[in-house]
Every structure is written in structure tokens, then in C-alpha cells.
Amino acid sequence: MSYLVEVEHRFRAVQGLPSPVRAERGLSRLASGEGVEVIVRVAVAFEDEQLTPRGWFFDTDAAAAELAECCAELEGRPWTEVFEFRPTFELVARHLHARLAARLPQLAYVEIRDVDFGVTTRYVPPPRHRTGIR
């Protein structure tokens, strides 16, 4: 890979799951509506030969708009109300990757950073197997 371009979207999110860290410290759950600062970052990988005559591979403004649209549901209400699965950062990152992969060709990864707790979770899809190769 020659290039890895990252696009990010920052917002406040309410995951809605109990925090073992807060419980261990004797702290209450986050109050309803209270959230943490989150950054969702996506990366697109491409090679030199894929650059257009304009010197780019994809429109980063369009990618930022796609990411913001995809994250809109994550800003509006607790994730436990948005998803039918348990919304851990791992599962949400994988879910976002599945949603964005068709919209952002050559999507390399999706990561979610919990800024307040200083934790980053990155989903990198498994390498695709070539037909006939095991």
C-alpha cells in the first residue's frame, strides 16, 4: 500500500452499557443523556497508480459526508436502543465497516476512539482469499 487516507467524525455518544471501570471505582453509570466524546475514523488504502490525473484517489469531502451520515444514528440516542446486538465498540466498529465498505471503496479499517477514557478500537477486515487459494 502506498497511501492510507483517514477521515474522522467527532461527536458525543451514549453507549448505554454498564461500565466495569466505573463500577470498580464505585461510580454510578453515566446519567441518561450524558455521554463520552467519540471519534469514528475510517481509512482508505490505495496505490500510486490509482491516483487520478488530479492527484487523488477519492473525494475526502464526500467520504466525510458518508461518515457523518453513517454516524448520525450513533449521536441521537443510546446505542443500546439503536442496535439489536450488544453495542460494544468492537461490534459497532465491525457494523460500521460493513455499512461503509460499499460506499468507500478500499476501506482499510474503521476505528472508534473513546476520547474520555483514552481507548481506541479498530476493526480491520480479514484479508480476502483469492479464488482457488486456501
Side-chain angles (χ1 to χ4, degrees):
M1 135 181 66
S2 298
Y3 297 97
L4 188 66
V5 176
E6 297 176 328
V7 178
E8 67 182 35
H9 182 69
R10 181 182 298 249
F11 58 96
R12 292 201 71 77
V14 177
Q15 188 180 24
L17 297 174
S19 167
V21 173
R22 291 182 68 83
E24 184 179 292
R25 294 178 184 166
L27 301 171
S28 65
R29 291 179 67 173
L30 292 175
S32 180
E34 185 181 350
V36 295
E37 185 174 5
V38 170
I39 299 171
V40 175
R41 180 178 292 126
V42 299
V44 173
F46 53 95
E47 302 296 334
D48 270 320
E49 58 272 7
Q50 291 181 284
L51 291 174
T52 67
R54 294 183 65 183
W56 62 350
F57 172 68
F58 72 107
D59 183 342
T60 55
D61 291 338
E66 288 287 349
L67 181 57
E69 179 183 322
C70 193
C71 290
E73 70 181 355
L74 303 180
E75 299 177 51
R77 54 193 173 131
W79 293 3
T80 51
E81 296 176 8
V82 174
F83 300 107
E84 293 185 15
F85 56 84
R86 188 170 190 271
T88 63
F89 277 35
E90 292 84 352
L91 296 177
V92 172
R94 183 177 68 189
H95 170 82
L96 292 176
H97 188 281
R99 283 192 59 194
L100 288 166
R103 300 175 187 175
L104 301 175
Q106 295 178 223
L107 181 61
Y109 65 79
V110 172
E111 76 178 26
I112 303 173
R113 175 151 180 81
D114 180 331
V115 176
D116 292 350
F117 286 94
V119 176
T120 301
T121 302
R122 180 180 290 180
Y123 176 75
V124 179
R128 294 181 184 192
H129 298 285
R130 293 185 183 149
T131 306
I133 298 176
R134 303 227 182 245

